[in-house]
Amino acid sequence: MSPTDQNSQASDLSTTPQTSVEADNESTTHFGYKTIEKDDKISMVAGVFHSVAKQYDVMNDLMSFGIHRLWKRFTIDASGVRPGNKVLDLAGGTGDLTAKFSKLVGREGKVILADINSSMLNVGRDKLRDKGLVQNIEYVQANAEYLPFEENTFDIVTIAFGLRNVTDKDKALRSIYSVLKPGGRLLVLEFSKPEHELLNKAYDFYSFNILPKMGELVAKDGESYQYLAESIRMHPDQETLKDMMEKAGFEQTSFKNLTGGVVALHKGYKF
């Protein structure tokens, strides 16, 4: 994605459909605004996160002005986690949620930090071990579409800012449903569609004019942050994701808009 394309795309955002489905051809999918072969997406997304892993936490604070910490705190509070629970922090990256869950589930509980990207997983493992969090955490490199766990294993599954990067989101939701215990719950924290048009326009300007430049200056990788901005626009909106969760089998689904809908927290139960 060349820098000269960014402004033209930003001006065309109002006509760019936000979609929950993959490209029309069953063998293709989206990588940002590009249409690519499904078989290529995992390696292309991996390249993005291998590139940004070391600066991921710094960029999160800069991009969100630190507000991502409040979004994650809200997710923890909404999870209903209790001592002794078994939690899967899927696409857990550098382990922000895992760190909080580890303290809350206690010695009798367990948290599995799972991520498809080895660089992110390594950064998360090193960070948590440096904090002394070692007793009840395991690390698993896993694809959300094919989770390597037995059915009915987890009380809680969270996926924060990761679902939009999954090739087949419907398959991932079904896989998550399978590994949840009856009565278990899924929480999806993800960028979504702002509720108000003025906020939406401001968010578009920031995402396509400021964010890639920030990525270039701090992480030395503007292209990866251009992709991340595009991937947000291609992710399902609030109601569409809620419908997808219901089709995967989840019940009592709901969502809560945060920061005017810039981010939404979706919740669903397995009964």
Side-chain angles (χ1 to χ4, degrees), residues 146-199:
Y146 306 97
L147 292 173
F149 309 107
E150 293 183 1
E151 293 183 3
N152 307 319
T153 295
F154 297 99
D155 299 287
I156 298 165
V157 176
T158 59
I159 179 166
F161 306 113
L163 186 60
R164 73 181 188 278
N165 297 308
V166 175
T167 303
D168 190 329
K169 298 171 183 62
D170 293 304
K171 185 180 290 185
L173 290 171
R174 293 193 297 270
S175 183
I176 292 168
Y177 185 87
S178 175
V179 302
L180 272 171
K181 295 177 181 178
R185 72 217 70 172
L186 165 66
L187 294 102
V188 181
L189 182 66
E190 188 56 87
F191 292 107
S192 200
K193 184 173 178 59
E195 299 174 274
H196 305 292
E197 186 58 30
L198 186 61
L199 177 59

Side-chain angles (χ1 to χ4, degrees), residues 72-81 104 187 267:
K72 290 170 181 174
R73 182 72 260 179
F74 186 86
T75 302
I76 296 288
D77 292 343
S79 71
V81 65
L104 293 170
L187 294 102
K267 183 190 290 187

